[in-house]
Amino acid sequence: MLKTQAAQPARFGLSRRTGLWNRILKSRHLYIMIAPGLLYFALFKYLPMWGVMIAFKDYLPFRGFWSSPWVGFKHFDRFFHDPVFWLLFKNTFVLAVYNIAFFFPIPILVALMLNELRLEWFKRSIQTAIYIPHFVSWVVVVGIVYTFFSSEGGIFTKMMADAGMPQFNFLMSNDWFRPMIILEVIWKESGWGTIIFLAALSGVDPTLYEAAKIDGASRFRQLWHITLPAIRSTIVILFILRLGSFLDTGFEQIFLMLNSTNREVGEVFDTYVYVNGVQQGQFSFSTAVGLFKSVIGLCLVLAANQAAKKLGEQGVY
């Protein structure tokens, strides 16, 4: 009796392992397809995470990663007590809020407008036109901005002069730095951001619209009661994921737009890390700053995901 009872769990565990192995063999082609993606994340996302250890060390290249002395939270303490910390935090936070408030809704609105177009050739033409800026590098985008707004021969500046308006240097203005950053992001990335929302809209059952038309619902009512609820979960998930990179304001764009006159409003964590880590060789200190940003992003994701679940949404996990 005891032998039988002891053998049953062993056979049960063996059958479970055999069943799992059989399912893996049955879906082996799918696992082979996802293997490159898993390998990419393992090599370039998870393995480099060991590098954050130098935020707690005084990293010396000639002594190596493991032999450098531990200093605990020395670099964090130095960063938080640095007078420039609050300036960096303010500039980064304001740009991040502007991104969420002004950029995040734009792809949703564009996707909703594209979804209302009935001429397929016209819809595809518009999609192609607004996708193209995504493939243009930030160097080219900033170059275009300088071509239009430079005080020395800029197209827009010359138009203002020809119209008898006083010349104004947008590129040197503290007041115009943040709006120009957001407008550049909107122009470059809004079209690309519509892809996921258009994919979600393609899954809406057409019979819902037909039933709404029979009931006399206007296009706006259909949009409000059918289209938006259908993509609400997608919006929530993308919003939560966006919060994960809340403090990532884009190094390349801001670095190219910075100059000596707008640095007071344009210096952010990313440019500060570049100056201290790459130019000055303070690897441990710059890693501590980057780790601080990552922890803030993680906390925001966890908080937003919990809030989404309390409001009845699924969240990301």
Side-chain angles (χ1 to χ4, degrees):
M1 180 69 178
L2 292 175
K3 289 183 178 181
T4 304
Q5 290 178 348
Q8 285 180 351
R11 287 198 300 268
F12 179 71
L14 181 62
S15 63
R16 287 187 62 182
R17 289 194 295 271
T18 304
L20 176 62
W21 181 247
N22 289 335
R23 288 195 299 271
I24 292 175
L25 287 177
K26 186 177 180 181
S27 305
R28 61 186 179 276
H29 298 99
L30 295 177
Y31 287 103
I32 292 173
M33 289 177 62
I34 67 173
L38 293 176
L39 186 63
Y40 165 79
F41 279 98
L43 291 178
F44 297 104
K45 298 296 181 180
Y46 287 97
L47 191 61
M49 288 178 67
W50 287 100
V52 302
M53 289 174 59
I54 68 173
F56 306 96
K57 289 188 169 190
D58 191 4
Y59 177 66
L60 302 172
F62 60 88
R63 295 189 61 177
F65 182 81
W66 298 107
S67 300
S68 298
W70 289 92
V71 294
F73 291 93
K74 170 187 172 183
H75 301 298
F76 294 93
D77 184 68
R78 171 191 164 189
F79 178 54
F80 294 145
H81 288 88
D82 193 328
V84 79
F85 170 77
W86 289 110
L87 175 66
L88 296 173
F89 187 83
K90 175 188 173 183
N91 293 341
T92 307
F93 183 80
V94 171
L95 279 174
V97 171
Y98 279 11
N99 264 304
I100 293 292
F102 297 107
F103 169 67
F104 183 78
I106 297 296
I108 303 172
L109 296 175
V110 174
L112 292 175
M113 290 189 288
L114 288 173
N115 189 60
E116 294 297 317
L117 295 177
R118 294 296 173 258
L119 295 175
E120 283 297 322
W121 66 269
F122 183 65
K123 180 179 178 179
R124 291 175 182 174
S125 300
I126 297 296
Q127 285 180 270
T128 303
I130 63 178
Y131 288 168
I132 290 175
H134 171 77
F135 300 98
V136 179
S137 70
W138 278 116
V139 176
V140 176
V141 173
V142 174
I144 294 172
V145 172
Y146 270 79
T147 302
F148 273 89
F149 296 101
S150 175
S151 59
E152 299 178 359
I155 297 174
F156 188 76
T157 307
K158 290 184 67 176
M159 290 173 59
M160 291 179 63
D162 294 340
M165 301 173 64
Q167 280 196 344
F168 183 80
N169 197 332
F170 292 91
L171 299 175
M172 298 289 183
S173 172
N174 286 349
D175 296 331
W176 277 93
F177 177 81
R178 289 164 182 160
M180 291 184 73
I181 291 292
I182 301 303
L183 289 174
E184 290 171 11
V185 173
I186 290 174
W187 178 77
K188 187 176 186 299
E189 301 295 345
S190 292
W192 189 255
T194 62
I195 294 178
I196 296 178
F197 296 110
L198 286 172
L201 289 170
S202 65
V204 181
D205 189 355
T207 58
L208 296 176
Y209 294 106
E210 295 174 3
K213 289 179 182 178
I214 294 174
D215 291 338
S218 63
R219 294 289 287 273
F220 178 77
R221 288 290 181 183
Q222 295 174 40
L223 175 69
W224 186 258
H225 294 288
I226 299 176
T227 308
L228 280 177
I231 64 172
R232 184 175 59 189
S233 60
T234 303
I235 294 173
V236 171
I237 290 174
L238 290 180
F239 180 76
I240 294 172
L241 295 176
R242 182 68 184 84
L243 289 178
S245 56
F246 181 73
L247 296 181
D248 291 332
T249 51
F251 162 75
E252 188 177 1
Q253 178 197 13
I254 294 178
F255 181 74
L256 293 170
M257 290 291 292
L258 275 179
N259 54 60
S260 58
T261 60
N262 60 22
R263 192 169 293 276
E264 185 180 350
V265 296
E267 192 78 60
V268 294
F269 288 130
D270 293 327
T271 56
Y272 186 72
V273 167
Y274 171 76
V275 170
N276 285 273
V278 177
Q279 294 186 343
Q280 299 181 9
Q282 301 181 44
F283 302 110
S284 293
F285 179 70
S286 58
T287 302
V289 179
L291 183 58
F292 165 73
K293 282 177 47 186
S294 301
V295 171
I296 295 295
L298 175 62
C299 293
L300 288 173
V301 167
L302 295 176
N305 189 75
Q306 195 65 26
K309 286 187 174 182
K310 288 185 177 181
L311 293 175
E313 300 295 334
Q314 288 185 341
V316 293
Y317 65 89

